[in-house]
């Protein structure tokens, strides 16, 4: 594993994922191989922070969403079940359900969704 990922190498991985050149499982695999073991998405902005042992990278904001002030567990679970939605549509769905952020733990293949009042929903990635 090479955990000294440069900004340009990171941007290339993000570009390839955004263009559909690599699948989500391939994306996670490439990140792990380069020392990135988790990332967090700010739902209101779509900005991602990728974290590794020696590296941290942030993407640009992509949206400006309003997070619902009411957490709706069922609506979150519906959005998660419908994860094939385009990324920005998925963010809109979970924002409307009261999700503030979510963190992907790559080696553990799990996602933790955090609600407006600190509520938490954990999901196992099916990859």
């Amino acid at each position: 594993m090479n955990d000294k990922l440069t900004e340009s190498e990171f941007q290339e991985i993000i570009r390839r994922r955004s263009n559909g050149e690599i699948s989500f499982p391939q994306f996670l695999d490439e990140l792990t191989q380069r020392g990135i073991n988790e990332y967090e998405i700010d739902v209101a902005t779509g900005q991602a922070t990728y974290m590794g042992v020696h590296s941290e990278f942030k993407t640009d904001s992509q949206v400006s969403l309003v997070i619902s002030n009411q957490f709706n567990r069922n609506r979150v679970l519906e959005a998660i079940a419908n994860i094939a939605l385009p990324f920005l549509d998925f963010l809109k769905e979970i924002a409307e359900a009261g999700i503030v952020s979510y963190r992907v733990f790559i080696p553990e293949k799990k996602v933790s969704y955090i609600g407006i009042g600190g509520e938490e929903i954990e999901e196992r990635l099916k990859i």
Side-chain angles (χ1 to χ4, degrees):
M1 169 178 32
N2 178 355
D3 58 6
K4 300 281 189 194
L5 185 63
T6 67
E7 178 72 28
S8 63
E9 291 167 330
F10 170 74
Q11 291 299 334
E12 177 61 14
I13 293 169
I14 296 295
R15 183 197 64 74
R16 290 175 50 235
R17 174 64 187 137
S18 297
N19 292 343
E21 294 173 34
I22 57 175
S23 68
F24 184 64
Q26 289 170 319
F27 171 68
L28 294 181
D29 191 47
E30 284 196 30
L31 289 175
T32 316
Q33 288 176 18
R34 300 311 302 266
I36 301 294
N37 49 27
E38 64 185 74
Y39 64 92
E40 183 168 6
I41 305 289
D42 178 315
V43 174
T45 64
Q47 182 179 46
T49 304
Y50 291 83
M51 296 155 279
V53 176
H54 299 287
S55 309
E56 181 173 301
F57 300 97
K58 288 186 184 254
T59 62
D60 294 333
S61 297
Q62 301 179 55
V63 291
S64 180
L65 298 172
V66 175
I67 306 295
S68 170
N69 61 4
Q70 285 200 288
F71 177 73
N72 184 327
R73 181 177 203 80
N74 289 335
R75 199 157 172 199
V76 174
L77 294 173
E78 286 173 23
I80 292 170
N82 208 3
I83 203 139
L85 286 172
F87 178 66
L88 298 179
D89 292 340
F90 176 70
L91 287 182
K92 185 174 184 291
E93 290 285 323
I94 62 176
E96 291 172 355
I99 294 295
V100 177
S101 67
Y102 67 91
R103 186 172 286 218
V104 178
F105 300 91
I106 301 170
E108 297 89 353
K109 295 185 175 27
K110 97 177 168 180
V111 183
S112 181
Y113 297 88
I114 308 299
I116 191 82
E119 304 87 353
E120 189 170 342
I121 295 176
E122 249 185 40
E123 172 201 19
R124 286 269 166 222
L125 291 174
K126 298 162 189 78
I127 54 172

